Amino acid sequence: ERVSAMISGAIMSTIFVTIAMVVITFGDLPPSYKWLPLVPLGLLLMFFAFRAFEWPRIAHRHKSWSLSELGIHLTQGVIWRATTSVPRARVQHTDVGQGPLQRRFGVATLSVHTAGSDQAQVNLGGLNYDDAIAVRDFLILKVPTPPSKDAEESAVVPDVVNDEPEESTHDE
């Protein structure tokens, strides 16, 4: 989301600056007012720069999700907040998708499709690819506990090597 906002902001800013330059170059403004087209375009440029570079960071801070035995819970929104809870029983299927940039950075978008017509699809973008697969498996395969990073680390248990010699219990 952040990359697409940056790209759209850069494109829109470039368009508005180009329009301002054309107006200044070919417009019939008196010399003392040649700067006038730059004021609104400068404001638009600042708006799009804010939208491209700062807004995604703010929006990301106001987005969270959690898993429980009951399902997945999403909270998002900077100005208007929305909380969405999807019970596991209502999940029909899930998709884990990656675009070219997402593959490059190892992230994915998890789409949860639910029964019902209102908000029948919930998207959770920006997840680590392995986390998206783990959440998908938890929701669809009915894994008993939600995946967590602690569970992944504790799943690898090293073999215990006993260096002491074993005692012989048989008589000779």
Side-chain angles (χ1 to χ4, degrees):
E1 293 177 21
R2 181 178 179 165
V3 173
S4 65
M6 290 172 60
I7 291 170
S8 66
I11 290 170
M12 294 302 290
S13 299
T14 303
I15 290 170
F16 284 117
V17 168
T18 303
I19 291 170
M21 292 303 174
V22 168
V23 168
I24 290 170
T25 305
F26 299 110
D28 291 334
L29 294 174
S32 61
Y33 292 106
K34 286 242 184 218
W35 57 269
L36 195 58
L38 293 179
V39 172
L41 292 176
L43 292 173
L44 284 172
L45 179 63
M46 288 184 347
F47 170 76
F48 283 114
F50 173 79
R51 176 72 173 95
F53 297 106
E54 196 59 33
W55 187 257
R57 185 183 340 229
I58 294 169
H60 181 74
R61 274 188 272 147
H62 289 86
K63 184 183 283 189
S64 65
W65 62 274
S66 64
L67 287 175
S68 70
E69 292 296 323
L70 300 175
I72 187 167
H73 312 283
L74 306 152
T75 303
Q76 62 185 356
V78 176
I79 298 170
W80 289 276
R81 304 221 180 204
T83 301
T84 305
S85 296
V86 179
R88 287 173 79 177
R90 306 262 314 158
V91 174
Q92 292 193 337
H93 72 280
T94 60
D95 297 321
V96 176
Q98 287 183 301
L101 288 175
Q102 288 176 315
R103 276 194 305 276
R104 169 71 175 92
F105 293 105
V107 296
T109 298
L110 174 68
S111 297
V112 179
H113 301 270
T114 63
S117 60
D118 188 31
Q119 295 185 358
Q121 179 179 352
V122 177
N123 292 322
L124 187 57
L127 292 176
N128 179 310
Y129 180 77
D130 294 331
D131 292 343
I133 296 296
V135 171
R136 179 201 64 188
D137 292 344
F138 172 73
L139 291 172
I140 294 297
L141 301 177
K142 309 297 187 227
V143 177
T145 58
S148 69
K149 295 203 183 279
D150 296 334
E152 292 174 9
E153 293 172 1
S154 64
V156 179
V157 178
D159 293 331
V160 176
V161 177
N162 188 357
D163 291 335
E164 298 176 15
E166 293 183 17
E167 294 180 19
S168 177
T169 57
H170 66 279
D171 293 321
E172 292 185 36

